[in-house]
Amino acid sequence: MRSRRDFFTGAAALVGAGLVSRAGAATLPEAPIMSSAATQPPPPPPNGRPYNPVVTLNGWSLPWRMNNGVKEFHLIAEPVVREIAPGMKANLWGYNGQSPGPTIEVVEGDRVRIFVTNRLPEHTSIHWHGQRLPNGMDGVTGLTQPGIQPGKTFVYEFVARRPGTFMYHPHADEMVQMAMGMMGFWVTHPRNPAQHRVDRDFVFLLNAYDIDPGSYTPRVNEMLNFNLWTFNSRAFPGIDTMNVRRNDRVRIRVGNLTMTNHPIHVHGHEFEVTGTDGGWTRPESRWPEVTTDVAVGQMRAIEFIADEPGDWAFHCHKSHHTMNAMGHDVPNLIGVDHRGVAEKIARLVPDYMVMGDKGGSMGDMEMPLPDNTLPMMTGQGPFGGVEMGGMFTVLKVRKDQKPGDYSDPGWYRHPPGTLAYEWKGEPPAALRKQDAGGQSMPAANAPEVEVTVRKPTGHQGHH
Amino acid sequence: MTRYTSSPMLRAVATGALAALLGGCASFSPDGGLDAVSAMTSARTGQDLQLTQAKHDSGATQAEVARLLGAPLTADGAVRVALLNNRGLRASLAGLGVAEADLVQAGRMRNPGLSFSRMSGGGETEIERGVMFDLVGLLTIPIRRDIEARRFQGAKLAAAMDAVRLAADTRKAWFNAVAAAQSAQYAEQVREAAQASAELARRMARAGNLSALDGAREQVFSAEATAQLARARHQATAAREQLARLMGVWGAQTAFTLLERLPDLPAAPRDGDNVESLAMRQRLDVQLAKLDAQATARALGLSKATGFVNVLDAGYVNTSKTGAPREQGYEIELVLPIFDWGGARVAKAEALYMQSVHRTAHAATSARSQVREAYSAYRTNYDLARHYRDEIVPLQKKISEETLLRYNGMLIGVFELLADARAQITRVTASIEAQRDFWIAETALQAAINGSGGSAAAAASVVSSAAGSVDAAAPEH
Ligand SMILES: [Cu+2]
């Protein structure tokens, strides 16, 4: 007998069915569990209407069962341990072994039945963000349904009417449950697989956690002070690269379930926003961008031809979102001379090391950190430290990346003459203009403020 | 009124007095009572009192004092110096000589006197010659000797009490001085941390990275730490001077150095089961009270036996109130039983005896209470000191390690790192204080068992009714 798992050849991490109960086994579809945080290459749909599957970055798609023409899925809401990046794990709440949960892929017009079993310690629900559906299937606790109590299973059933990009998440104690990672991606493919067809279709959610350095469980009563900014609950260098073949048409779909907006930026290419929350954008409404802001609760699909080979940065452009946990009240020591003081401090704190006097970069310093804490900016590239964390990954465009091959091709080899290099000659004297320009509304008695420019002399090495 | 000439009691007294007179005179002991005091002190402090008689104040004593002060001073060394060198104790020991002289005097007849008078007037001259003999003195010699012997014994107990108390006070002062010196050192480190913060803040302000408000906040830490250091240094000086006073040192002797650290805690606290019975055996104030009860018992017996010897004013030998000299004394009178056959006197003697019995019981009850309290303090301070050593300080160390890890990750800044360093130093200082408090409580417990309960415990006694161990104070007839 072929089980759903057989379609996931190579997806050894997919483990046994989590059946809810023997009595329910006859009527409930299998609930596969994923134990790996690696990107699972997409299988073609084994039955039902054909579609071109998406690739969930550091995630997977949920297998289904066809039951009298209805696609039946089984989601289990449960506590999980998610690897945020190598060296850091988090106690989260998710679905079927991971947070975010598996991507649900259906085709326009599919009748979909989703069994939701609650193995959380409190009631939950699922809201199908962006879908047109009967009101009673909208998953808002108290408003359209009672909460799914622990141990109970609810069934949602509707027709996936509108093709596009969607999300799912609880609408029950949602501040806590979303802070704990309860969310997943949903793609409704067009009925015609040729429509909007692309060669590579990457999807991921934007999410954020507040995990105190040295701890494992996110703080749930957090409003805006999140300290881990993630794609699919992964932080760089734990985010897989997006590996494409040169001249592939690439789509990247992003859903934002954080509490702030994220200007998503790609290097080396312009793209167009081809999909929004409301569906596909009309071609005449599109304009080229290199950054698109994905606001809170929004989904965006961007598309471009990956015609520039190389390793291209892809990241949120809020610079503190490309950092891992960092202190907000760390004093600014840029340009502060530590001579004498450092020795004094070292007498009291023997392992003390001066940091921040030349900027925030920790360079190649390797210092012990609290348990389960990602360094602020790490990830090694072919030329050294990438000095990034959080919402950062790399778009790898290669001419010989086979279709359907999502494996990492390694670092880009720059053709001769295409790499920045050091100038070895004499630097010219800088010409400076002293006039700062006029003021349209000068103050009557503006005090003279004197700020002295301090330049690093290169003789401040107290490390 | 015919019986008085043939009173057998009076005859008995007179015969006893003559026998004592003929039995030979009392003489001075070779050590003046010091050996007994030294033995009592040694049994309770581990230090004897030799070489402390004023007339033997030789170079040897000063040499030993100099030797002890020359090396880093231990607690035992400080006690030894105090016992050798404290002038207050020497004054107290000199009291022994006074008591012994009284004892010897009491065993001797007053010298017979000769009187001669010549009166002239009105042409006549009258010459009288007489020989006077102290008959009353003769009759009361045995009584006086008995009383003086007890007073001498009391003086020895009192001197030993002084010595034991001095030893205890000196030990406490030593622990205080060492701990205060250690705390002052740590206060210096705190100031160093605060100064580093302040200096960094100044440089940040110079680089344009710190507002005047935040700058002032960092400066005030440093300024406060300087004030704390001044206080801590004075504390160290005061504690050291207290020790110097108790050791009776002056001049160049005050340059002594102390051990750098307090002794480690003992591996286990001593058991508290037998401290009360130990105290009943060893406490000098209890023994003094017993001695007094014995004396009044003798007086009672005497009053009952004769009715005519009044020794009732033989004073209760006061357990010395601090500051005031001990009061003691007695008066003996021989009365002629003409109008009063002594019934009232016997009643008064009985009342006085009961008074001394109650005093003894009170001393015993207070002593038991004091020693229980002292043991509680000892045990609590032991547990606290161990708690600091095994729990609080290691936890603070863990906090500091974790703080440094957070600094490494740029999760916190250098000011938080320095604030943690200050917190660590503060907790280490608290730990030292807990260790000091243990050793002081240990000394207080020793004093409660062995001496008179120490200066603090002396104020604790209130009237109590339950009798303690007063068997030895029963009348002796
Ligand atoms: Cu962002």
Side-chain angles (χ1 to χ4, degrees), chain B residues 164-241:
Chain B
V164 170
R165 183 182 297 122
L166 175 66
D169 288 348
T170 307
R171 281 182 76 82
K172 288 180 194 172
W174 185 88
F175 293 128
N176 262 324
V178 172
Q182 259 184 296
S183 296
Q185 268 178 24
Y186 278 107
E188 211 163 309
Q189 287 193 19
V190 170
R191 188 184 63 162
E192 206 165 296
Q195 278 182 340
S197 285
E199 179 57 34
L200 204 54
R202 260 193 298 278
R203 295 189 191 180
M204 281 174 70
R206 224 180 290 141
N209 303 6
L210 198 69
S211 70
L213 174 61
D214 289 338
R217 281 187 179 137
E218 290 301 330
Q219 304 298 330
V220 84
F221 269 131
S222 170
E224 239 169 22
T226 302
Q228 290 292 356
L229 176 60
R231 283 194 198 100
R233 278 183 176 156
H234 169 68
Q235 283 300 323
T237 302
R240 191 186 160 86
E241 286 304 332

Side-chain angles (χ1 to χ4, degrees), chain A residues 246-287:
Chain A
R246 187 179 179 188
N247 294 324
D248 271 354
R249 184 167 182 87
V250 176
R251 177 184 297 140
I252 300 170
R253 312 191 202 208
V254 183
N256 180 2
L257 285 177
T258 72
M259 295 194 196
T260 188
N261 62 315
H262 300 277
I264 296 296
H265 174 58
V266 65
H267 291 207
H269 299 80
E270 320 81 49
F271 58 76
E272 289 176 339
V273 176
T274 55
T276 68
D277 313 273
W280 299 106
T281 57
R282 288 186 298 279
E284 62 271 27
S285 72
R286 299 172 185 172
W287 63 82

Side-chain angles (χ1 to χ4, degrees), chain A residues 422-437:
Chain A
E422 183 184 354
W423 167 255
K424 305 274 189 173
E426 277 297 308
L431 290 172
R432 293 182 188 281
K433 193 167 162 67
Q434 300 300 324
D435 179 13

Side-chain angles (χ1 to χ4, degrees), chain A residues 203-222:
Chain A
V203 309
F204 58 89
L205 290 169
L206 303 170
N207 29 28
Y209 298 97
D210 180 17
I211 301 180
D212 263 354
S215 74
Y216 296 81
T217 306
R219 297 159 63 101
V220 294
N221 296 320
E222 189 49 79

Side-chain angles (χ1 to χ4, degrees), chain A residues 206 229 258 260-264 315-322 391:
Chain A
L206 303 170
W229 301 94
T258 72
T260 188
N261 62 315
H262 300 277
I264 296 296
H315 59 96
C316 172
H317 215 287
K318 286 188 175 174
S319 50
H320 73 284
H321 292 179
T322 53
M391 293 172 161

Side-chain angles (χ1 to χ4, degrees), chain A residues 102-416:
Chain A
T103 299
I104 291 176
E105 292 185 75
V106 299
V107 179
E108 179 186 5
D110 275 353
R111 183 158 200 90
V112 179
R113 188 179 296 132
I114 305 138
F115 296 79
V116 179
T117 299
N118 183 9
R119 287 196 189 141
L120 297 173
E122 66 167 347
H123 72 269
T124 187
S125 74
I126 299 191
H127 164 62
W128 314 98
H129 187 114
Q131 303 275 5
R132 288 190 175 248
L133 35 61
N135 181 244
M137 295 292 163
D138 201 37
V140 181
T141 313
L143 180 64
T144 66
Q145 67 163 90
I148 310 169
Q149 294 304 319
K152 302 291 183 194
T153 300
F154 268 48
V155 182
Y156 294 88
E157 186 167 338
F158 54 90
V159 173
R161 286 161 61 185
R162 180 163 75 76
T165 305
F166 304 92
M167 309 184 282
Y168 62 87
H169 63 80
H171 229 292
D173 192 17
E174 65 184 273
M175 168 128 172
V176 167
Q177 294 189 8
M178 305 239 311
M180 288 294 285
M182 301 284 287
M183 54 190 73
F185 216 93
W186 178 300
V187 173
T188 301
H189 294 280
R191 200 186 303 263
N192 174 9
Q195 195 183 353
H196 311 304
R197 182 181 161 74
V198 293
D199 300 300
R200 314 255 176 176
D201 198 343
F202 296 97
V203 309
F204 58 89
L205 290 169
L206 303 170
N207 29 28
Y209 298 97
D210 180 17
I211 301 180
D212 263 354
S215 74
Y216 296 81
T217 306
R219 297 159 63 101
V220 294
N221 296 320
E222 189 49 79
M223 289 188 277
L224 294 172
N225 278 325
F226 295 91
N227 61 12
L228 284 170
W229 301 94
T230 52
F231 291 171
N232 270 354
S233 304
R234 293 277 286 187
F236 184 77
I239 304 177
D240 283 339
T241 54
M242 291 185 285
N243 313 312
V244 306
R245 185 185 179 87
R246 187 179 179 188
N247 294 324
D248 271 354
R249 184 167 182 87
V250 176
R251 177 184 297 140
I252 300 170
R253 312 191 202 208
V254 183
N256 180 2
L257 285 177
T258 72
M259 295 194 196
T260 188
N261 62 315
H262 300 277
I264 296 296
H265 174 58
V266 65
H267 291 207
H269 299 80
E270 320 81 49
F271 58 76
E272 289 176 339
V273 176
T274 55
T276 68
D277 313 273
W280 299 106
T281 57
R282 288 186 298 279
E284 62 271 27
S285 72
R286 299 172 185 172
W287 63 82
E289 293 268 28
V290 294
T291 303
T292 188
D293 199 24
V294 187
V296 178
Q298 283 187 336
M299 291 84 73
R300 289 286 177 269
I302 62 168
E303 285 176 31
F304 57 95
I305 305 292
D307 50 6
E308 296 291 347
D311 290 340
W312 302 107
F314 177 97
H315 59 96
C316 172
H317 215 287
K318 286 188 175 174
S319 50
H320 73 284
H321 292 179
T322 53
M323 307 272 272
N324 295 327
M326 62 173 184
H328 291 208
D329 299 320
V330 174
N332 184 358
L333 296 176
I334 286 187
V336 177
D337 181 5
H338 275 64
R339 264 170 292 192
V341 184
E343 289 73 16
K344 218 172 201 177
I345 298 171
R347 272 204 294 280
L348 297 157
V349 186
D351 292 331
Y352 172 73
M353 194 180 265
V354 174
M355 279 190 288
D357 58 333
K358 299 178 191 71
S361 172
M362 302 204 292
D364 295 327
M365 279 191 261
E366 289 237 348
M367 284 181 292
L369 296 180
D371 282 350
N372 203 45
T373 301
L374 292 177
M376 203 160 66
M377 304 171 290
T378 50
Q380 291 293 310
F383 301 103
V386 179
E387 302 194 329
M388 289 278 168
M391 293 172 161
F392 179 91
T393 186
V394 177
L395 171 72
K396 295 194 172 186
V397 182
R398 299 288 187 278
K399 70 175 196 305
D400 45 6
Q401 188 84 7
K402 301 264 182 303
D405 179 9
Y406 289 89
S407 61
D408 185 347
W411 298 119
Y412 182 63
R413 294 172 194 278
H414 300 269

